Amino acid sequence: MIKVGDTLPASTLMEFSEVEGGGCSIGPNPVDVAKASAGKTIALFALPGAFTPTCSAKHVPGYIQKFDELKAAGVDEIWCVSVNDAFVMGAWARDQKSGAKVRMLADGDAAFTKATGLTLDLTGKGMGLRSNRYSMLVKDGKVASLNIEAPGKFEVSDAATMLAQAKP
């Protein structure tokens, strides 16, 4: 399992773009994790699935609400990672009105999630292999802090915890 001090796993996530520009075409675009995190401070949080109750009611809204404070604390970008496809993450971004505040990144085949060792098997609930709920502060591609939730909990991966860890 990934731990503080480790480098994020080399992988590619997918991001749905609504408009063409900045080298991105409309639709799913690859995001090389190593390149996208280089030289940046990232508040990364992951969750079991788009449109799920806790994720939609608390997790994503909390990071949207704390966006300005996280930026003031030195966070360059906020990433939301879920084992869903880019089309679902794009629809969820529209639903959550995450705009330019939270990058909704799809880990469609769970490659990133498996590489972190933070998988959650929800096969019995009809969801298959998913990501555990967690957050991490990433500085220049390395994990500076890691907050892993206990099963069924939402206590340490929230935006307030991340903000406290991001403050110098």
Side-chain angles (χ1 to χ4, degrees):
M1 182 184 317
I2 198 165
K3 60 188 181 310
V4 172
D6 287 352
T7 300
L8 289 179
S11 58
T12 301
L13 299 169
M14 297 297 286
E15 183 173 32
F16 190 88
S17 295
E18 298 282 349
V19 295
E20 193 165 4
C24 294
S25 61
I26 294 173
N29 286 276
V31 176
D32 180 300
V33 170
K35 288 179 184 173
S37 62
K40 295 179 185 168
T41 297
I42 297 166
L44 184 156
F45 67 103
L47 35 81
F51 294 103
T52 55
T54 300
C55 305
S56 292
K58 297 178 183 177
H59 220 166
V60 174
Y63 279 89
I64 292 170
Q65 291 167 358
K66 297 278 186 203
F67 173 80
D68 291 330
E69 292 173 79
L70 285 160
K71 291 292 264 186
V75 170
D76 297 303
E77 294 182 2
I78 302 170
W79 293 6
C80 174
V81 177
S82 184
V83 180
N84 288 108
D85 64 61
F87 295 99
V88 169
M89 293 299 281
W92 197 32
R94 286 189 300 278
D95 179 73
Q96 291 286 303
K97 298 175 179 54
S98 60
K101 294 182 177 182
V102 177
R103 293 184 76 178
M104 304 296 264
L105 301 173
D107 185 18
D109 60 0
F112 178 83
T113 299
K114 289 175 189 173
T116 65
L118 292 166
T119 59
L120 178 64
D121 188 353
L122 294 176
T123 303
K125 295 186 178 188
M127 294 176 68
L129 185 68
R130 296 298 180 126
S131 174
N132 199 347
R133 185 182 308 279
Y134 67 88
S135 67
M136 63 172 74
L137 188 65
V138 177
K139 294 186 177 188
D140 194 23
K142 293 192 184 298
V143 180
S145 67
L146 177 61
N147 313 294
I148 304 169
E149 296 287 0
K153 298 291 183 181
F154 179 64
E155 300 170 343
V156 299
S157 63
D158 61 305
T161 300
M162 182 57 54
L163 179 59
Q165 292 172 345
K167 288 183 177 177

